[in-house]
Amino acid sequence: MEYKDTLNLPRTDFPMKANLTKNEPIRLKKWEEKKIYNKILEKRNPENKYILHDGPPYANGHLHMGHALNKILKDFIIKTKSLKGFYTPYIPGWDCHGLPIEHQVDKELGKKKNEIPKHEKRKLCRKYASKFIDIQRDEFKRLGVLGDWENPYITMDYTYEANTLKELYKFFNNGGAYKGLKPVYWCISCITALAEAEVEYHDHTSPSIYVKFPLSNDAKKALNIEEDASAVIWTTTPWTLPANLGIAMNPDIEYAVVRVLKSDNKNINKNDLLILAKELIEKLKSIFKIEEIEIEKTFKANILEKTNAKHPFYDRNSLIILGDHVTLEQGTGLVHTAPGHGQEDYEIGLKYGLKILNPVDDYGNFKKDTELFGGMNIFKANNEIIKLLDENGNLLETSEIEHSYPHCWRCKNPVVFRATPQWFISMEKNDLRKKALNEIDKVQWIPSWGRNRIYSMIENRPDWCISRQRSWGVPIAVFLCSECGEIIIDKEIQEKILSEFYKFGADIWFEKDVEYFLGKNFECPHCKSKNIRKETDILDVWFDSGVSHAAVCEVRKELKWPADMYLEGSDQHRGWFHSSLLESIGTRDKAPYKEVLTHGFVVDGKGLKMSKSMGNVITPDEIINKYGAEILRLWVAAEDYTEDIRISNDIIKHLVESYRKIRNTQRYLLGNLYDFSPNKDMIEFENLKELDKYILIRWQNVKEKIYKAYDNYQFHIFYHSFLNFCINELSSFYLDIIKDRVYAYKANSFERRSAQSAMFILLKEMAIIMSPILSFTADEIWEFLPDFEGKEESVFIHTFPAVMQIKDKELIKKMEFLKELKSVVNKACELARRNKIIGHSLDAKITVAIKNYEEDLLKVDEGIEKIFIVSEFYIGDFDKLTDCHTSEDGNIKVKVETSSFKKCERCWTHSASIGKSTKHPTLCERCVNQL
């Protein structure tokens, strides 16, 4: 007889090698064909909703690693909430309008881009966006993300466009929207206004100049001086000096009239008088190469308020004004003020009645009528302006400075601040700012620092510029009287336009003329003119996506408003979180979300930003094609996403090894359940053997920890807890010990069924609990899991198993003691193995001596020798035991000797009972009884 054939060795078709790259697409197809997403929802109560509202990615280009991180995190949360019993529909979305798509279409059109009608260009943009929606949809699904992929929300859908306009009209109706001449970020490359969220800050080298503005007689009189004197300003944008209309001083700063006694500066003469902030004099002396000065007098700025200085190269005055924005951090304490080129300049200019002067055109050139510099590019004009100032003696110092400067998010070129007629949403009208700040504190921000970040942004932001001078977007569908400028958009006209948008989409605005919407004989209600025109500006794309809470969550019956969660990258505090908040507060007085979770950015293994030029870009495709999407999902779970998340080949290889350990553990459990029928073979918990009880108690602790981590969205805790349980609790301890019991006892014996009962519970529950993270593997395990009453066709349809409240302090105390003792025994056996005393641990006779222990701790129904996987186990006298291994704390001694008994041919245990059976002389008594 071949005794090894009588052992219950593991059997399973569950493959050791996952072959994820080949098998994942097959599994995805199965989920789709079996409509698993729909079946999950059918098993949940629609009254118990949890809605994670998808922030729409831009429909342009293939997915990068940030996309993968974002979508996988969302999938984790939706699946964990579903497994908690919530009804969790996931409606993915796409952001389709805006400059990047229009720019790509312009590139394809070449010279025709300026000749083609707007409505024709829009059709090409729509086609381009549709192509990438299909590409990205397949790439997102490949990640194992479940959702309603066939019915996403798309911002260029007719209904969405109409709902966007409907939301805009609410701002017109409540007085929140207005048209004004204000300085805004302007990209001279893309030829459009930009919102704050479309501006990135990068290092930039600018000229740094100090300029004299000679005081007029009224200013000299206010200072009670008769000699010529000059106010000195500092600027890094010389090109804005043609628009200068004022000099700002701080009413709380002390200023001085400084007499220069000795100088090495060719534009400063002996006895020249300069107006500077007193605190900055010593610093400025060095910069201006002044060797000796005398302070004539000090004063507060209010005595100069509304007096004048002379412009340094134009024949006009600059008004001296007061503002709290003036600081002593840089410059001279006096600030060059051009209301057409800066937000603070604009605001203080309005206060003092200054003209909003903007001499710069859309392309970044000075307008033709600009004195001295007409037609010149503003950045090229910098040197000409500096040269002119030097020639007329008003330049005190020039150098270059590297500083953080705003750049366009799309073309990456520096932007300018220039006053243009734009549409705005007021932050003050209807208390929008105040209400938004109040609502921020009602939202749960994860991590908590997100609250302060968005709060300060809302607190300090200017009015929201919502207009763009482009073609591809939702138009600001209002009419304007060409004679008197009246904005024409009463409720009746709104309803007519909205009706057309719902039927034909926003393209209708560009295809039809004024008469189509207003009728033939329409007159301006203000001046009776028939000269009416359509507004041609389109909406900021952040308004587009910012209305998704209204256009999607309020509209789709499976969703609800407000959403439970918005989840995006940390840059969205100034983007989607920001625009959604303002739009929702402005129309509903309430935030559109209850929780906002943000993640960091993906960087390389050294923490550096990924870029093609550095050659450190890793794409989702690379990982998926080599290792499978499951490894990408494990990467997302393993990292603390609240910081920037590192990825490299070494990190991925480490995760592959972790995955292998998890998979092998599950495979081993499956392999020992091939003949186990839970419905008839399951043994109740109270009747299980002690070790089986203990491992289930330990599993309850791990479950509790994982559930808490899921509730707090801390998926890295799942990763470490689950992996640790597989390696240290199961593979190294429990499964190692019960191997003998599962293999050697009769197939249907109590000893084996007890272990199988524990293993089945573990495997079933581990599959469910890992399913939000390791979705492909959990589903694969589920296919091989023995059938049981209530088993659903998919692991995702189940809910999380409850944590069993088991209190057995004595058993826990015993097992924890034995685990500690086992680690010392294992070390002693390892040393004996090295010294050739034993081969396998079953060759060993162990004598253990312990200081101060309870005898009951060594009584275990498994058989004490089985815990240590040795053949003989004895307790010795601590003081008499010699030639042994001693634990680090000195409380345990272990002596390892070779067992003198023969080795059982079937179970490899050395036993005194071998040879007693004449039928099976080479087997131990236990094995004889099992045959």
Side-chain angles (χ1 to χ4, degrees):
M1 178 187 288
E2 284 285 343
Y3 289 126
K4 69 175 172 37
D5 294 338
T6 69
L7 294 170
N8 309 303
L9 295 176
R11 275 185 254 162
T12 181
D13 291 329
F14 184 82
M16 183 181 291
K17 292 191 85 172
N19 203 357
L20 294 169
T21 55
K22 178 187 172 186
N23 291 327
E24 285 173 348
I26 298 169
R27 197 157 296 282
L28 288 169
K29 190 179 178 187
K30 183 196 87 170
W31 294 347
E32 206 164 311
E33 288 172 350
K34 292 193 172 184
K35 300 188 183 320
I36 296 301
Y37 168 77
N38 295 325
K39 287 176 180 175
I40 295 168
L41 293 180
E42 285 166 12
K43 287 285 185 176
R44 305 291 186 257
N45 179 4
E47 299 302 310
N48 187 29
K49 289 177 181 174
Y50 182 91
I51 304 302
L52 189 157
H53 180 43
D54 191 34
Y58 201 68
N60 182 25
H62 290 270
L63 302 192
H64 54 65
M65 204 58 86
H67 286 121
L69 166 71
N70 179 266
K71 273 294 194 286
I72 290 170
L73 268 178
K74 288 173 180 173
D75 193 53
F76 287 175
I77 291 172
I78 287 162
K79 281 175 179 163
T80 55
K81 293 297 181 183
S82 174
L83 284 154
K84 285 195 77 176
F86 286 100
Y87 181 82
T88 56
Y90 176 57
I91 311 301
W94 272 276
D95 202 355
C96 306
H97 295 128
L99 192 56
I101 287 173
E102 188 175 342
H103 191 75
Q104 287 298 326
V105 169
D106 280 350
K107 272 168 64 175
E108 289 173 11
L109 286 170
K111 291 179 182 178
K112 291 182 184 175
K113 69 179 181 180
N114 297 319
E115 300 164 15
I116 189 170
K118 272 192 178 182
H119 65 273
E120 291 297 331
K121 184 185 280 191
R122 287 172 62 85
K123 286 176 184 173
L124 295 174
C125 290
R126 187 176 290 276
K127 186 178 175 184
Y128 183 93
S130 296
K131 179 180 84 170
F132 275 102
I133 287 171
D134 290 339
I135 288 169
Q136 290 185 2
R137 185 191 344 243
D138 289 341
E139 291 175 337
F140 280 134
K141 285 163 73 174
R142 181 63 185 86
L143 299 171
V145 177
L146 293 178
D148 195 352
W149 291 106
E150 300 315 307
N151 299 290
Y153 79 87
I154 295 169
T155 62
M156 65 181 183
D157 280 351
Y158 292 174
T159 302
Y160 192 103
E161 289 182 330
N163 283 329
T164 302
L165 184 60
K166 187 177 178 182
E167 291 299 304
L168 175 64
Y169 284 158
K170 290 179 182 179
F171 283 99
F172 277 101
N173 296 338
N174 68 23
Y178 70 94
K179 191 163 194 177
L181 179 68
K182 291 180 67 173
V184 294
Y185 289 114
W186 184 272
C187 179
I188 59 177
S189 300
C190 299
I191 318 161
T192 187
L194 300 173
E196 298 232 328
E198 296 169 317
V199 170
E200 301 172 342
Y201 283 82
H202 302 294
D203 286 343
H204 181 71
T205 302
S206 299
S208 165
I209 64 171
Y210 292 83
V211 181
K212 290 191 297 186
F213 280 63
L215 295 187
S216 297
N217 288 333
D218 58 349
K220 290 195 286 184
K221 185 178 179 182
L223 287 171
N224 198 21
I225 57 174
E226 295 181 359
E227 298 171 69
D228 288 343
S230 297
V232 182
I233 66 93
W234 170 73
T235 183
T236 57
T237 53
W239 63 266
T240 61
L241 285 171
N244 173 276
L245 295 174
I247 297 171
M249 302 174 74
N250 190 313
D252 297 322
I253 291 174
E254 190 173 14
Y255 291 88
V257 180
V258 178
R259 184 179 295 278
V260 179
L261 300 177
K262 190 177 179 186
S263 162
D264 193 25
N265 188 318
K266 71 183 180 70
N267 287 334
I268 300 177
N269 297 318
K270 186 177 181 182
N271 288 320
D272 275 1
L273 297 179
L274 305 177
I275 312 299
L276 305 166
K278 185 183 176 186
E279 193 177 311
L280 298 173
I281 289 172
E282 287 305 313
K283 176 182 167 186
L284 293 169
K285 269 176 66 182
S286 171
I287 292 172
F288 300 159
K289 297 176 184 172
I290 296 172
E291 296 170 23
E292 198 175 329
I293 62 153
E294 189 177 82
I295 296 177
E296 290 284 303
K297 63 169 62 181
T298 60
F299 65 95
K300 286 296 180 82
N302 59 314
I303 68 169
L304 286 179
E305 185 180 16
K306 294 186 180 177
T307 64
N308 292 278
K310 295 170 185 173
H311 192 282
F313 50 77
Y314 287 151
D315 185 16
R316 67 168 185 246
N317 285 337
S318 292
L319 187 69
I320 296 175
I321 55 185
L322 305 183
D324 295 333
H325 65 289
V326 180
T327 69
L328 298 172
E329 287 178 19
Q330 287 178 301
T332 64
L334 296 91
V335 173
H336 146 57
T337 301
H341 289 308
Q343 181 62 31
E344 289 168 330
D345 297 28
Y346 168 79
E347 289 171 2
I348 199 169
L350 281 185
K351 180 180 173 184
Y352 282 93
L354 298 179
K355 183 182 176 184
I356 311 302
L357 174 62
N358 169 34
V360 179
D361 71 14
D362 292 356
Y363 301 91
N365 300 319
F366 282 113
K367 294 172 183 174
K368 298 292 183 190
D369 60 355
T370 305
E371 190 180 345
L372 302 174
F373 308 106
M376 195 178 292
N377 175 274
I378 56 171
F379 294 121
K380 289 180 180 174
N382 275 333
N383 286 334
E384 295 302 313
I385 291 168
I386 293 168
K387 184 179 174 186
L388 176 62
L389 289 167
D390 194 30
E391 288 172 355
N392 68 22
N394 286 322
L395 182 70
L396 293 188
E397 201 274 338
T398 179
S399 60
E400 288 190 336
I401 183 172
E402 187 168 295
H403 59 148
S404 183
Y405 189 85
H407 288 66
C408 174
W409 68 302
R410 199 213 61 77
C411 70
K412 309 301 180 189
N413 289 319
V415 300
V416 298
F417 225 40
R418 63 186 285 263
T420 58
Q422 299 289 342
W423 292 95
F424 297 90
I425 288 174
S426 169
M427 291 300 296
E428 311 313 328
K429 184 76 174 177
N430 304 316
D431 288 330
L432 178 56
R433 188 190 310 278
K434 183 180 175 184
K435 289 174 182 175
L437 293 174
N438 287 338
E439 280 295 301
I440 285 170
D441 283 330
K442 297 176 185 175
V443 175
Q444 178 76 24
W445 299 92
I446 308 163
S448 58
W449 52 256
R451 179 264 176 202
N452 292 339
R453 188 168 189 207
I454 195 166
Y455 193 95
S456 64
M457 287 175 175
I458 298 286
E459 190 175 35
N460 299 305
R461 68 158 294 139
D463 288 353
W464 182 4
C465 177
I466 56 169
S467 49
R468 297 292 180 273
Q469 291 65 50
R470 303 297 300 189
S471 303
W472 180 229
V474 175
I476 298 174
V478 300
F479 298 96
L480 300 158
C481 176
S482 297
E483 300 297 330
C484 70
E486 179 80 1
I487 299 167
I488 302 165
I489 193 65
D490 63 36
K491 290 283 181 74
E492 193 177 329
I493 294 172
Q494 288 178 21
E495 290 305 319
K496 164 69 174 168
I497 297 170
L498 285 170
S499 169
E500 296 295 314
F501 271 48
Y502 279 115
K503 283 186 279 187
F504 305 110
D507 292 349
I508 194 75
W509 185 253
F510 300 94
E511 291 168 358
K512 302 296 183 180
D513 59 12
V514 172
E515 190 179 309
Y516 178 84
F517 294 100
L518 298 182
K520 195 167 187 178
N521 298 310
F522 186 86
E523 294 179 345
C524 170
H526 184 255
C527 73
K528 304 304 178 186
S529 169
K530 291 186 178 180
N531 191 2
I532 310 297
R533 67 179 179 88
K534 289 186 299 180
E535 175 57 83
T536 56
D537 284 356
I538 60 169
L539 275 168
D540 170 19
V541 288
W542 291 107
F543 191 93
D544 264 32
S545 57
V547 306
S548 64
H549 68 95
V552 182
C553 295
E554 280 187 346
V555 170
R556 294 185 67 149
K557 66 181 188 305
E558 69 268 44
L559 305 180
K560 67 174 184 178
W561 191 97
D564 291 287
M565 176 177 279
Y566 277 34
L567 186 165
E568 301 301 328
S570 55
D571 56 337
Q572 294 307 309
H573 289 109
R574 67 186 184 119
W576 189 53
F577 303 151
H578 195 117
S579 64
S580 299
L581 180 70
L582 292 183
E583 203 289 325
S584 184
I585 301 291
T587 54
R588 289 154 180 77
D589 288 341
K590 189 175 177 182
Y593 37 64
K594 296 175 185 175
E595 286 183 297
V596 173
L597 187 148
T598 52
H599 57 76
F601 297 102
V602 181
V603 293
D604 72 7
K606 295 176 183 174
L608 300 173
K609 185 179 176 181
M610 290 189 184
S611 71
K612 288 179 182 175
S613 60
M614 289 180 67
N616 63 346
V617 174
I618 296 176
T619 64
D621 266 2
E622 286 176 52
I623 305 297
I624 291 168
N625 293 337
K626 190 170 183 181
Y627 301 107
E630 197 79 305
I631 302 304
L632 211 49
R633 295 178 69 90
L634 195 61
W635 164 71
V636 175
E639 301 295 322
D640 179 1
Y641 60 78
T642 60
E643 306 288 338
D644 284 348
I645 306 101
R646 297 187 181 209
I647 191 165
S648 67
N649 287 323
D650 286 344
I651 289 169
I652 293 298
K653 283 174 185 173
H654 175 74
L655 290 165
V656 168
E657 182 58 23
S658 295
Y659 173 78
R660 187 186 63 78
K661 288 173 181 174
I662 291 170
R663 185 180 181 87
N664 284 350
T665 303
Q666 309 306 305
R667 184 174 185 270
Y668 185 78
L669 291 169
L670 275 170
N672 286 297
L673 294 172
Y674 63 87
D675 63 342
F676 183 75
S677 172
N679 295 338
K680 65 181 180 68
D681 297 330
M682 180 71 76
I683 293 171
E684 293 299 317
F685 177 83
E686 56 269 21
N687 298 324
L688 295 175
K689 290 183 76 68
E690 286 178 323
L691 193 59
D692 304 325
K693 281 183 181 177
Y694 172 72
I695 198 63
L696 291 177
I697 291 171
R698 286 292 301 130
W699 174 233
Q700 305 316 305
N701 297 339
V702 174
K703 265 161 56 178
E704 201 163 23
K705 189 174 182 181
I706 288 173
Y707 290 166
K708 186 179 177 184
Y710 280 165
D711 285 344
N712 294 323
Y713 315 118
Q714 294 174 321
F715 303 107
H716 61 288
I717 292 177
F718 158 82
Y719 168 75
H720 294 293
S721 302
F722 197 83
L723 181 63
N724 182 62
F725 185 73
C726 286
I727 296 171
N728 297 325
E729 300 283 352
L730 291 180
S731 298
S732 300
F733 180 68
Y734 175 70
L735 297 177
D736 201 27
I737 294 168
I738 64 161
K739 198 179 287 183
D740 175 80
R741 178 160 35 116
V742 173
Y743 293 179
Y745 280 88
K746 282 182 183 176
N748 62 353
S749 65
F750 162 75
E751 289 83 359
R752 186 161 179 269
R753 292 301 191 214
S754 176
Q756 284 181 312
S757 296
M759 285 192 283
F760 172 77
I761 292 168
L762 287 169
L763 183 63
K764 171 190 162 188
E765 294 192 355
M766 287 173 85
I768 295 170
I769 285 170
M770 75 159 85
S771 67
I773 313 298
L774 296 172
S775 296
F776 293 102
T777 306
D779 191 60
E780 185 184 3
I781 291 166
W782 204 252
E783 288 177 354
F784 288 89
L785 188 74
D787 283 337
F788 61 92
E789 191 176 338
K791 185 183 181 186
E792 300 284 358
E793 68 173 297
S794 169
V795 66
F796 305 119
I797 297 173
H798 284 264
T799 54
F800 284 134
V803 175
M804 293 165 59
Q805 300 303 319
I806 310 162
K807 291 178 181 172
D808 193 334
K809 289 182 180 175
E810 291 305 312
L811 177 61
I812 293 169
K813 181 181 176 183
K814 180 195 292 186
M815 288 299 170
E816 295 300 323
F817 171 79
L818 290 174
K819 275 170 85 172
E820 192 179 328
L821 181 58
K822 184 171 167 60
S823 69
V824 181
V825 170
N826 286 351
K827 194 161 189 181
C829 287
E830 182 56 38
L831 291 170
R833 196 175 288 110
R834 281 189 217 161
N835 293 326
K836 309 287 194 234
I837 295 169
I838 60 170
H840 192 280
S841 64
L842 284 172
D843 298 337
K845 167 190 171 184
I846 300 291
T847 306
V848 172
I850 310 167
K851 271 186 189 176
N852 306 321
Y853 74 98
E854 299 171 33
E855 283 188 23
D856 285 350
L857 295 177
L858 292 173
K859 292 175 182 174
V860 58
D861 64 3
E862 194 81 23
I864 188 67
E865 73 283 355
K866 300 297 182 187
I867 297 292
F868 303 101
I869 315 176
V870 296
S871 291
E872 298 178 67
F873 183 94
Y874 303 100
I875 297 295
D877 186 309
F878 191 88
D879 294 326
K880 293 180 181 177
L881 195 62
T882 57
D883 297 329
C884 57
H885 169 71
T886 305
S887 63
E888 287 182 11
D889 62 9
N891 291 328
I892 301 170
K893 290 180 178 179
V894 180
K895 184 166 187 171
V896 181
E897 301 171 276
T898 308
S899 174
S900 59
F901 299 130
K902 290 180 179 177
K903 180 178 175 180
C904 173
E905 189 182 337
R906 182 169 178 268
C907 72
W908 295 8
T909 302
H910 294 253
S911 170
S913 64
I914 293 168
K916 289 185 178 179
S917 167
T918 53
K919 191 175 181 183
H920 303 289
T922 59
L923 302 191
C924 67
E925 188 176 3
R926 191 269 307 265
C927 285
V928 170
N929 292 336
Q930 303 310 310
L931 297 178

